[in-house]
């Protein structure tokens, strides 16, 4: 079991937003500086930096957008959400609100979406995978370990300049991460060189809101296969000789 990282300063504390690291269509990621307050219990003054992901409400605006996210029917999505979180919209009022996508229904889904990413990353972090430490989540925000330094955030794998040896190493780390995730019964669902960061010789896995439980989802293996094919295609384009079907077959052994 991994223990809470020592770099995280304790509460009570004061957070200052240092600006946007990356702004996109689904989320905006900010750099936050947290300083411990001085109280009777703590001296205060220690500080740390982390990333704060703010989800934009786009994802759950309309049923059609859910389909665009890869779910064939909105009801299938609702089922996925139920499965993924291991609990259900028990109240029929909540279920109907989600199915009708009323304002209240959207709020329920958005909340689960945010919580889901935190939950998945906590599981994977504890399983030893190279994911940023998930600190906490609230309504539409998710705080997590920042990957980078004072001068720059870690580049996405697609933008990193890797030597041939580093490319092979990144691929080996990718397979190790995929194995870990599959062993945990999860598929990322949006695996690409945009959702991997490269920093100090390490490959970091990020962006898990759409992660699914392989066994509980009818299309679980299809999602896993699509992830493997997509990300292997990137390595192949970079000149690495990798066989996506071999990688996929090796992962199936982990299930
Ligand atoms: N912990 C982190 N440390 C450093 N940079 C990060 C971190 N998390 C995210 N980023 C940066 O922010 C980008 C967007 O984050 P993420 O992929 O989680 O959100 P997204 O929903 O895909 O948003 P978008 O639509 O902008 O791609 C990442 O590709 C990465 O460049
Ligand atoms: Mg992303």
């Amino acid at each position: 079991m991994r223990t809470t990282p020592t770099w995280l300063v304790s509460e009570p504390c004061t957070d200052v937003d240092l600006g946007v690291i990356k702004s996109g269509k689904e989320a905006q990621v900010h750099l936050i500086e947290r300083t411990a307050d001085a109280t009777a219990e703590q001296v205060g003054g220690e500080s740390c930096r982390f990333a704060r992901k703010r989800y934009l409400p786009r994802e759950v605006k309309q049923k059609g957008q859910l389909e665009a996210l890869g779910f064939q029917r909105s009801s299938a999505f609702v089922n996925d959400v139920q499965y993924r979180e291991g609990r259900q919209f028990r109240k029929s009022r909540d279920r109907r609100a989600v199915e009708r996508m009323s304002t209240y229904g959207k709020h329920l889904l958005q909340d689960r979406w945010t919580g889901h990413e935190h939950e998945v990353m906590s599981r994977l972090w504890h399983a030893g995978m190279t994911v940023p430490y998930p600190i906490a989540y609230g309504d539409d925000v998710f705080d997590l370990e920042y990957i980078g330094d004072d001068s720059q955030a870690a580049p996405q794998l697609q933008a990193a300049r890797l030597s041939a040896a580093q490319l092979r190493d990144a691929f080996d780390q990718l397979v190790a991460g995929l194995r870990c995730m599959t062993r945990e019964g999860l598929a990322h669902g949006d695996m690409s060189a945009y959702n991997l960061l490269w920093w100090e010789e390490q490959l970091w896995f990020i962006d898990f809101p759409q992660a699914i439980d392989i066994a509980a989802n009818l299309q679980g293996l299809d999602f896993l296969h699509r992830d493997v094919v997509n990300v292997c295609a990137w390595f192949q384009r970079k000149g690495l000789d990798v066989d996506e079907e071999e990688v996929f077959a090796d992962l199936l052994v982990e299930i």
Side-chain angles (χ1 to χ4, degrees):
M1 196 72 171
R2 296 169 85 178
T3 50
T4 309
T6 48
W7 53 260
L8 187 62
V9 308
S10 41
E11 297 187 27
C13 54
T14 305
D15 290 348
V16 175
D17 191 330
L18 299 180
V20 174
I21 297 173
K22 191 118 181 34
S23 178
K25 50 193 182 335
E26 286 172 10
Q28 211 171 41
V29 180
H30 294 243
L31 183 63
I32 306 292
E33 184 156 72
R34 171 168 290 181
T35 308
D37 295 339
T39 63
E41 281 77 38
Q42 61 184 24
V43 182
E46 311 88 11
S47 68
C48 69
R49 286 180 177 190
F50 58 83
R52 174 165 290 167
K53 181 170 174 178
R54 292 183 183 282
Y55 299 80
L56 307 176
R58 187 198 77 105
E59 290 160 320
V60 290
K61 259 186 193 148
Q62 297 164 10
K63 289 189 180 188
Q65 288 176 332
L66 298 178
E67 282 144 26
L69 285 165
F71 298 97
Q72 293 189 330
R73 299 189 318 274
S74 55
S75 60
F77 174 79
V78 174
N79 285 335
D80 284 337
V81 171
Q82 292 168 352
Y83 281 132
R84 291 183 325 193
E85 300 220 325
R87 56 198 147 98
Q88 308 202 345
F89 290 100
R90 287 208 182 80
K91 292 185 202 152
S92 55
R93 185 176 78 108
D94 288 359
R95 215 165 32 237
R96 279 199 306 277
V98 168
E99 276 158 13
R100 252 189 279 116
M101 296 301 277
S102 66
T103 308
Y104 175 61
K106 286 176 201 164
H107 173 78
L108 284 177
L109 272 182
Q110 181 77 37
D111 192 45
R112 263 141 211 272
W113 200 265
T114 319
H116 180 66
E117 180 162 38
H118 180 268
E119 207 172 290
V120 165
M121 287 179 74
S122 298
R123 227 166 104 184
L124 295 175
W125 188 84
H126 281 291
M129 196 167 150
T130 315
V131 296
Y133 174 70
I135 302 171
Y137 81 95
D139 272 349
D140 288 342
V141 298
F142 172 33
D143 290 345
L144 67 167
E145 179 179 357
Y146 166 68
I147 312 302
D149 62 18
D150 288 350
S151 63
Q152 59 162 327
Q156 297 170 346
L157 180 64
Q158 57 89 19
R161 292 169 170 275
L162 273 65
S163 67
Q166 285 173 318
L167 196 67
R168 168 49 69 179
D169 187 27
F171 183 74
D172 291 344
Q173 292 188 43
L174 170 79
V175 173
L178 285 171
R179 269 185 202 283
C180 181
M181 218 185 308
T182 314
R183 220 176 293 131
E184 286 297 306
L186 295 166
H188 184 285
D190 190 19
M191 178 68 73
S192 75
Y194 291 87
N195 285 330
L196 292 163
L197 304 178
W198 181 254
W199 188 249
E200 293 176 342
E201 308 301 313
Q202 286 254 46
L203 187 73
W204 292 83
F205 294 74
I206 60 163
D207 201 4
F208 290 86
Q210 64 297 304
I212 55 134
D213 184 325
I214 298 172
N217 194 300
L218 285 176
Q219 295 161 296
L221 287 179
D222 298 337
F223 279 103
L224 179 63
H225 187 256
R226 194 184 63 184
D227 276 350
V228 170
V229 170
N230 283 350
V231 75
C232 283
W234 184 84
F235 280 93
Q236 285 155 356
R237 283 199 299 279
K238 292 285 163 187
L240 206 66
D241 181 21
V242 299
D243 181 341
E244 67 279 5
E245 296 305 335
E246 202 174 292
V247 172
F248 181 61
D250 282 349
L251 290 178
L252 294 181
V253 177
E254 303 288 344
I255 294 175

